[in-house]
Amino acid sequence: MHKDTLTGSRIRERRIAQGVRQAELARIAGISASYLNLIEHNRRRIGGKLLLDIAEALGVEPTHLTEGAGAALIAGLREAASDLPDAGAELDRTDEFAGRFPGWAAALVATRARVAQLERSVEVLTDRMTHDPQLAASLHEMLSTVTAIRSAASILAEPGDIDPDWQSRFHRNIYEDSARLAETSRGLVTYLEADNAQATETGTPQEELDGALEKAEHHIPELEQEADVAQVMTRLGRGLSSAAQSLLRSWLERYAADAKALPINELATALTAHGADALVLSVALDQPPTRVMRRLAAMPAEVLGDPVGLAICDASGVLSYRKPLPDFPMPRFGAACPLWPLYKALNRPYAVLSADLVQLGRSGATVRVEAQATPVGPPKANADPMFEAHMLVRPLPVSREPAGSSEDVGITCRICPRANCIGRREPSILSAQ
């Protein structure tokens, strides 16, 4: 039912909500109750002075009766319905539901957003609990200390006399180990209660690099103007460890080379003409697809429009660069889903692989990905090349259908509900959906 035919339903809901009788509203509007009844059941169109009179009687703006719920609310309801396709939601009556029950509609949309947020939190925390090196080291330290305390205590508890000197040593060991255990416990609790920024600051060099790039939103305006990398290092590298600064410098040097080879104004012009398809842009700009992918990931919102994500991995499969999307998160620790085209590209160097993917356990949004693996460094005689894979992730517009059948993938095996997956490395904590 089109929204302009639902004015009557909105009048009825407003009238009932305000406790106004149908006959009373008809009298104020100067029409019969039977005619108002036809209007409220959408059997008579309404407009002009009559609409203004009824809106004034109900104390609302006329547009609230004619336009109904906002587009964002209706879109949110449709997304909520797409999350549960087996529920049988009446999509053709979404606008009617939002117009008649805007409060319930808003509550449903807000609940869906809250669920999505909690899902992302579970994914991040599970990933952190499974692969976080600092957490693993802290737990190992705690277990070792507890074992030492128990060993010393068991010796003291054994029957028989113990030499006073040895007894004093065991007491001192228990005291020192207890103090170390308390300190480790406090540090662990502080770390677990820290927000993401604090956790990143105390993490690995790769995490420090990820945090610095996230703060910069992956865009370095100075390097677009061919500024010196050392100047940018002074701004972005402040507070980073020496190892993280080394990673950052390498990334900035590559960024500067990409910006020089493919200036932002040329890419912006090509984006307007061709869209964000990496392969199409590669042909139009005569640039390698991987460079185009990196440049797209570095573009600000005013140039790019819809955001894109990018994952880069080395031959070991570990992500050396990650720019996730809300509908396509990427693991902070460990390897990602082996079904990603990112890894398939390593088996098919130079070929550009394109696919439509849906991450299980998410909102069900389809994304378009393009991946390619290329050699790292110059070729060497009698030496096999080392390959690096790129994967660009783009949201698939709602108005466009997937190019083919989309493939279900996960984030990591630990939090993937896909059953009977040939690529599974470890059991999932989630039940199959």
Side-chain angles (χ1 to χ4, degrees):
M1 184 178 295
H2 196 269
K3 67 180 182 181
D4 62 2
T5 66
L6 297 173
T7 303
S9 297
R10 300 184 189 105
I11 291 174
R12 181 173 182 272
E13 294 304 321
R14 294 280 183 172
R15 177 180 61 79
I16 294 176
Q18 296 181 20
V20 179
R21 297 176 60 86
Q22 190 178 70
E24 178 65 17
L25 180 59
R27 184 188 64 79
I28 296 173
I31 58 176
S32 65
S34 59
Y35 188 70
L36 178 58
N37 184 66
L38 293 175
I39 292 175
E40 289 186 349
H41 286 83
N42 302 304
R43 296 177 183 175
R44 293 290 186 275
R45 292 185 178 274
I46 180 175
K49 184 177 183 303
L50 180 57
L51 176 63
L52 297 177
D53 291 341
I54 291 179
E56 183 179 0
L58 294 174
V60 298
E61 293 291 332
T63 54
H64 292 171
L65 300 177
T66 57
E67 295 181 0
L73 182 60
I74 295 174
L77 288 173
R78 292 186 179 277
E79 291 175 358
S82 66
D83 290 349
L84 299 171
D86 297 333
E90 297 83 356
L91 292 177
D92 58 331
R93 303 185 67 181
T94 303
D95 186 76
E96 181 181 1
F97 174 71
R100 295 184 62 183
F101 308 104
W104 281 108
L108 180 59
V109 172
T111 300
R112 175 190 176 274
R114 177 60 175 163
V115 169
Q117 179 185 4
L118 291 174
E119 282 185 354
R120 286 192 290 270
S121 298
V122 169
E123 290 163 359
V124 171
L125 291 174
T126 303
D127 192 29
R128 182 175 172 184
M129 293 289 288
T130 305
H131 300 289
D132 190 336
Q134 178 160 337
L135 179 60
S138 298
L139 292 176
H140 178 73
E141 175 69 17
M142 290 181 65
L143 291 175
S144 300
T145 306
V146 169
T147 302
I149 293 174
R150 182 176 181 182
S151 298
S154 63
I155 294 175
L156 292 174
E158 290 179 355
D161 296 332
I162 300 178
D163 184 89
D165 291 339
W166 282 102
Q167 190 178 56
S168 176
R169 289 185 182 182
F170 286 131
H171 285 155
R172 184 173 62 254
N173 289 344
I174 291 176
Y175 173 78
E176 292 175 352
D177 288 341
S178 299
R180 188 169 71 252
L181 178 61
E183 183 64 26
T184 303
S185 301
R186 282 194 295 269
L188 180 60
V189 170
T190 302
Y191 179 65
L192 290 176
E193 291 181 347
D195 57 24
N196 290 336
Q198 292 171 317
T200 300
E201 291 170 0
T202 58
T204 64
Q206 183 63 47
E207 293 176 78
E208 293 183 70
L209 174 64
D210 290 343
L213 297 182
E214 288 173 4
K215 290 179 181 178
E217 298 182 348
H218 301 263
H219 176 65
I220 313 299
E222 300 97 317
L223 296 182
E224 302 291 346
Q225 306 298 326
E226 299 187 13
D228 186 53
V229 170
Q231 298 177 7
V232 183
M233 279 293 300
T234 303
R235 178 172 67 88
L236 294 184
R238 188 179 298 110
L240 300 183
S241 65
S242 58
Q245 288 182 354
S246 177
L247 294 177
L248 178 60
R249 180 177 294 277
S250 297
W251 186 87
L252 292 175
E253 289 173 349
R254 185 182 228 182
Y255 187 114
D258 289 341
K260 184 176 181 180
L262 181 53
I264 188 172
N265 57 338
E266 293 183 16
L267 182 57
T269 302
L271 277 169
T272 303
H274 305 288
D277 188 302
L279 187 57
V280 173
L281 289 173
S282 172
V283 174
L285 296 167
D286 192 24
Q287 293 285 345
T290 52
R291 172 171 287 158
V292 173
M293 293 179 189
R294 293 193 298 269
R295 291 298 285 149
L296 289 175
M299 290 298 98
E302 58 269 19
V303 174
L304 188 60
D306 293 332
V308 301
L310 180 64
I312 303 177
C313 76
D314 57 20
S316 70
V318 176
L319 297 183
S320 58
Y321 175 85
R322 54 186 296 278
K323 183 187 178 185
L325 290 179
D327 289 326
F328 201 89
M330 301 174 184
R332 187 177 293 274
F333 308 101
C337 173
L339 301 180
W340 286 9
L342 176 72
Y343 301 117
K344 296 178 182 179
L346 291 171
N347 296 325
R348 299 175 60 185
Y350 300 104
V352 178
L353 308 182
S354 178
D356 294 328
L357 305 181
V358 177
Q359 273 195 349
L360 294 173
R362 306 301 306 163
S363 62
T366 304
V367 297
R368 176 72 48 81
V369 303
E370 295 151 315
Q372 186 186 37
T374 54
V376 177
K380 297 181 180 180
N382 303 318
D384 293 332
M386 184 71 69
F387 286 96
E388 177 186 59
H390 290 58
M391 185 176 76
L392 185 74
V393 184
R394 295 182 288 134
L396 190 66
V398 178
S399 58
R400 293 180 56 187
E401 294 294 331
S405 59
S406 57
E407 182 179 5
D408 293 337
V409 299
I411 302 176
T412 62
C413 290
R414 187 64 173 166
I415 52 176
C416 176
R418 177 169 176 164
N420 303 320
C421 178
I422 192 173
R424 181 170 294 284
R425 298 182 301 274
E426 58 180 329
S428 174
I429 64 172
L430 305 177
S431 59
Q433 294 182 351

